[in-house]
Amino acid sequence: VGSWTNVRDYPIPVATHDAAVAGNRIYVVGGTGVAGNALRVIYFATIQADGSLGPWTPARDLPEGLSRHAVAAHDGFLYVTGGDDGTGAQNAVHFARINTDGSLAPWQTSTLPAPRLYHRAVIQDNHLVILGGSTDNITGQSTVSRALINANGTLGNWEPQQPMPKA
């Protein structure tokens, strides 16, 4: 890794957010605002050939404010899993098709096998995989679950996987 360079400031102050790359765009989703509230906002920027970013563009807001969530992108869809809406860990999976201009189609919602925050979401072999996290902001979880991603972006049934050796 070479020297770090500031390529473009994010339009708002934010913490406990997550991001995913889809094609040549980066999507930054939700987080905690300066007032400590969970944010609904999503911005995306085009990743230029030299690694710099184009201007930040607002995308369709999340259905609810979320922080401490996880985000993944796969095959033209953006997935936002779990998180905290200000009342505790959530079990929603919000997903939206990414339009050719980078905007997001209307959100659809599915559910996780259990509420999660501070977890990771990754894509592996056409599955959305949820790793660890916490249900109560204190107790870590070692669980791993996966769901098949259907061609229309919906999720199949969640299947438990071998747990991680430690929470």
Side-chain angles (χ1 to χ4, degrees):
V1 174
S3 300
W4 290 98
T5 303
N6 182 348
V7 294
R8 183 170 299 274
D9 288 340
Y10 195 62
I12 61 170
V14 65
T16 63
H17 55 287
D18 202 10
V21 172
N24 67 336
R25 294 183 183 101
I26 183 167
Y27 290 80
V28 179
V29 179
T32 305
V34 292
N37 55 317
L39 300 174
R40 297 177 62 208
V41 298
I42 299 174
Y43 286 91
F44 68 93
T46 300
I47 303 167
Q48 308 297 323
D50 66 359
S52 65
L53 295 178
W56 288 105
T57 303
R60 183 182 302 272
D61 283 352
L62 285 167
E64 61 186 329
L66 289 173
S67 64
R68 300 170 185 89
H69 52 285
V71 179
H74 177 68
D75 201 21
F77 284 88
L78 188 68
Y79 295 87
V80 181
T81 64
D84 184 351
D85 67 354
T87 66
Q90 300 298 301
N91 71 341
V93 177
H94 301 294
F95 61 100
R97 177 172 292 286
I98 301 170
N99 298 317
T100 56
D101 65 357
S103 65
L104 298 175
W107 290 101
Q108 300 178 63
T109 303
S110 185
T111 58
L112 291 170
R116 281 288 181 272
L117 48 89
Y118 290 121
H119 59 291
R120 290 295 102 212
V122 297
I123 305 296
Q124 190 260 334
D125 290 338
N126 208 42
H127 286 79
L128 177 61
V129 181
I130 303 299
L131 302 137
S134 176
T135 59
D136 60 10
N137 216 13
I138 298 168
T139 308
Q141 301 291 315
S142 63
T143 58
V144 177
S145 298
R146 74 179 194 158
L148 179 67
I149 300 172
N150 298 311
N152 64 358
T154 60
L155 299 175
N157 293 327
W158 287 99
E159 304 168 346
Q161 302 296 297
Q162 183 68 32
M164 296 181 294
K166 287 188 154 194

